[in-house]
Amino acid sequence: MSATDTIPLRQVNVDVVDEPTRAGANWTACVIDQDIRFSAEHLLSFAFANFEPIVFDTLVVAAAIEFCDRIAPRSSKMWGREFVVRIAVHDPARWNDSSIANPLHETLNLLTGDKWNLVFVRRARDYQAIGQSHLFSLDGVNAVIAFSEGLDSKAVSGLFSREMGNSLVRVRVGEKLKKYPVEEGRRVPFTGIPYSVTTGDGHKETSFRSRGFKFASVSGLAAYLTGAREIIMTESGQGALGPALLPVGQGYPDYRNHPLFTIRMAKFLNALFGTSLSFRFPRLWSTKGATLAAYIREYGDQGEWRQTRSCWQGPRQMSTNGDFRQCGICAACMLRRQSVHAAGLTEMANTYVWENISAHDFEQGASGSFAKMTPALREYAVAGTLHLDHLAAMADNNAEKHVKARLAAELSEALGQPLDDVRQLLANLLSAHAAEWKAFVNSLGPGSFVAGWASAA
């Protein structure tokens, strides 16, 4: 259920302050430098010759949104929540201006399915820039690209680096990134997300739809600081459109990598920074397998792509004998395995906890040393398989016509392309996915637990 429905939403009041004593009574306090902590090293990689308060404030706003999203669990009966948030910034008049505030609210409402009401107030004191700014050689930058540990990120970054050279700047958004990476003997900027968010007793809400705002904000800052006019999105078609096309259960569509979100995000960023930024989706109409194959054609199979991670689960869940692996059975891992197969490549079995998905029984497919088998893992595996299977079924011209029509209309609006062209591109993408999925499932054999759950065998 979305935030636009008439049923009253649970209201959450949050005060984002730079001094604990400034938080209002009966408001949840989010204290900068306590609940939002900045990494001096990573923050310096965003600090150029002169520190700009708008850079720091943009990061605070992104962190505040993450804090709110994490602390308020969604109801099992209703997706949406209502947030009333006061955020301390250097220039509240700028942030409260309707030309900035309106697109900010519109972006967040669409992305998360919640209702947001943000009000900006003056900080108690100005933020003091940390240390000495680093000067980076960034002349002639045309585009920035968010670079994570993912397969699409590695492939698309590699393809565009070969094409654009130094006019492309990477913005590192992975969870475990090196401090001050060095390339060609020089320190590089944008070494990682420069803040972390804690919520006291752990993250109560795990859907974390605001992640898209976090990454887009950091990418937008990098584009603003370098003078780039373009932000390249690395997601291939299934990852960008699948979550919006096929929401999980009764959940709200996931727009994190969707052009409908980025066109609103660009409007907000351009109003905030006075820029003319746009988001580009070079692999939107390609499958992940086709993207990986294009990368291999350009670079050869040197094995670096095998070091990427697609799984969202962490070491506590997915370690066996001290070896941190990908699970191999969630939706992201299953799409990865399908894509590797489609590209004509292979991975070592121990890449995944579920080493053998050709096994007849789900439990038997896991590594013999894996000791954390839970019913939830089976549910993840079923959901991951069915998501890819249902996406493949949508290639049928008669399947879910109204859903595909809605998606095509949204994409036509966001991309500024003729509706008939978008319909054909979407049909081609779904057909390509269906062919890859069927070939992958068949490769596992009819006795596979995956084949038993899927209809494509």
Side-chain angles (χ1 to χ4, degrees), residues 214-455:
K214 172 182 182 175
F215 293 161
S217 294
V218 171
S219 298
L221 268 177
Y224 165 63
L225 290 168
T226 60
R229 301 287 294 273
E230 194 171 61
I231 299 170
I232 296 175
M233 301 292 288
T234 63
E235 205 72 20
S236 296
Q238 298 116 311
L241 304 180
L245 192 59
L246 291 172
V248 178
Q250 300 301 311
Y252 179 77
D254 188 343
Y255 289 106
R256 280 176 293 169
N257 293 297
H258 193 288
L260 207 62
F261 159 62
T262 58
I263 195 172
R264 287 161 172 75
M265 189 72 192
K267 184 178 180 181
F268 158 64
L269 291 172
N270 288 330
L272 180 65
F273 298 134
T275 51
S276 298
L277 299 173
S278 62
F279 288 80
R280 178 181 174 190
F281 289 81
R283 306 300 300 183
L284 183 65
W285 303 117
S286 302
T287 64
K288 197 184 194 82
T291 297
L292 176 58
Y295 174 79
I296 296 300
R297 285 195 299 271
E298 187 69 25
Y299 287 90
D301 186 6
Q302 300 176 3
E304 291 184 6
W305 65 269
R306 291 183 175 84
Q307 306 306 313
T308 63
R309 290 193 61 84
S310 300
C311 188
W312 57 270
Q313 300 197 70
R316 288 196 300 176
Q317 296 83 20
M318 286 300 132
S319 291
T320 174
N321 284 342
D323 181 21
F324 176 33
R325 303 184 186 182
Q326 303 183 67
C327 74
I329 43 86
C330 68
C333 283
M334 290 294 288
L335 177 56
R336 178 191 178 97
R337 297 179 97 151
Q338 170 191 325
S339 303
V340 170
H341 179 268
L345 301 166
T346 59
E347 293 181 283
M348 298 291 291
N350 63 6
T351 301
Y352 306 103
V353 168
W354 259 259
E355 297 177 346
N356 179 21
I357 56 175
S358 292
H360 178 71
D361 294 321
F362 171 71
E363 289 79 7
Q364 291 177 350
S367 166
S369 60
F370 183 62
K372 299 178 181 178
M373 191 74 66
T374 66
L377 290 174
R378 185 183 181 88
E379 293 176 9
Y380 291 144
V382 172
T385 298
L386 293 183
H387 174 77
L388 297 177
D389 197 58
H390 291 166
L391 191 61
M394 295 192 80
D396 186 330
N397 289 335
N398 296 317
E400 302 289 353
K401 285 186 175 181
H402 67 290
V403 176
K404 290 186 288 189
R406 171 185 58 80
L407 179 65
E410 291 175 343
L411 289 169
S412 176
E413 171 201 340
L415 298 172
Q417 293 182 239
L419 181 57
D420 286 345
D421 291 354
V422 171
R423 285 172 177 157
Q424 187 60 56
L425 289 166
L426 178 60
N428 294 345
L429 172 66
L430 292 173
S431 294
H433 167 72
E436 289 183 7
W437 174 245
K438 184 174 183 178
F440 173 63
V441 173
N442 286 342
S443 74
L444 301 177
S448 164
F449 67 85
V450 174
W453 296 338
S455 62

Side-chain angles (χ1 to χ4, degrees), residues 28-325:
T28 298
C30 173
V31 184
I32 301 169
D33 292 331
Q34 180 177 307
D35 301 299
I36 300 171
R37 294 183 180 273
F38 284 88
S39 160
E41 290 171 305
H42 290 321
L43 188 59
L44 277 173
S45 77
F46 281 76
F48 286 69
N50 296 305
F51 175 77
E52 296 184 69
I54 191 63
V55 174
F56 182 77
D57 288 342
T58 301
L59 295 170
V60 167
V61 170
I65 299 303
E66 178 177 346
F67 178 89
C68 295
D69 192 15
R70 294 286 205 176
I71 64 167
R74 299 184 185 278
S75 166
S76 60
K77 298 180 179 179
M78 180 164 44
W79 176 270
R81 305 156 297 180
E82 181 173 4
F83 292 101
V84 178
V85 191
R86 293 191 298 231
I87 305 177
V89 295
H90 291 85
D91 187 358
R94 181 177 187 174
W95 285 91
N96 286 322
D97 188 282
S98 60
S99 66
I100 294 171
N102 289 350
L104 173 57
H105 287 107
E106 183 182 356
T107 299
L108 291 172
N109 291 347
L110 172 83
L111 178 64
T112 66
D114 302 304
K115 183 178 180 180
W116 293 83
N117 181 12
L118 307 181
V119 178
F120 298 92
V121 298
R122 185 72 171 83
R123 287 176 57 93
R125 60 186 183 280
D126 290 345
Y127 176 76
Q128 299 299 313
I130 299 174
Q132 181 181 1
S133 297
H134 291 281
L135 296 177
F136 302 99
S137 178
L138 294 172
D139 294 334
V141 174
N142 294 323
V144 301
I145 187 168
F147 184 78
S148 68
E149 299 171 333
L151 185 57
D152 273 340
S153 177
K154 175 67 176 178
V156 177
S157 176
L159 291 171
F160 275 84
S161 294
R162 180 67 59 89
E163 174 185 332
M164 300 181 68
N166 291 334
S167 68
L168 177 70
V169 169
R170 294 177 178 179
V171 183
R172 290 164 174 79
V173 296
E175 297 299 325
K176 293 183 178 180
L177 298 164
K178 296 178 181 179
K179 297 179 180 180
Y180 280 123
V182 174
E183 294 178 359
E184 297 180 355
R186 297 179 301 176
R187 282 184 172 183
V188 297
F190 316 126
T191 57
I193 300 294
Y195 64 80
S196 60
V197 175
T198 57
T199 55
D201 55 353
H203 298 320
K204 297 179 180 179
E205 175 54 45
T206 59
S207 60
F208 194 18
R209 290 295 176 83
S210 65
R211 183 188 290 108
F213 183 80
K214 172 182 182 175
F215 293 161
S217 294
V218 171
S219 298
L221 268 177
Y224 165 63
L225 290 168
T226 60
R229 301 287 294 273
E230 194 171 61
I231 299 170
I232 296 175
M233 301 292 288
T234 63
E235 205 72 20
S236 296
Q238 298 116 311
L241 304 180
L245 192 59
L246 291 172
V248 178
Q250 300 301 311
Y252 179 77
D254 188 343
Y255 289 106
R256 280 176 293 169
N257 293 297
H258 193 288
L260 207 62
F261 159 62
T262 58
I263 195 172
R264 287 161 172 75
M265 189 72 192
K267 184 178 180 181
F268 158 64
L269 291 172
N270 288 330
L272 180 65
F273 298 134
T275 51
S276 298
L277 299 173
S278 62
F279 288 80
R280 178 181 174 190
F281 289 81
R283 306 300 300 183
L284 183 65
W285 303 117
S286 302
T287 64
K288 197 184 194 82
T291 297
L292 176 58
Y295 174 79
I296 296 300
R297 285 195 299 271
E298 187 69 25
Y299 287 90
D301 186 6
Q302 300 176 3
E304 291 184 6
W305 65 269
R306 291 183 175 84
Q307 306 306 313
T308 63
R309 290 193 61 84
S310 300
C311 188
W312 57 270
Q313 300 197 70
R316 288 196 300 176
Q317 296 83 20
M318 286 300 132
S319 291
T320 174
N321 284 342
D323 181 21
F324 176 33
R325 303 184 186 182

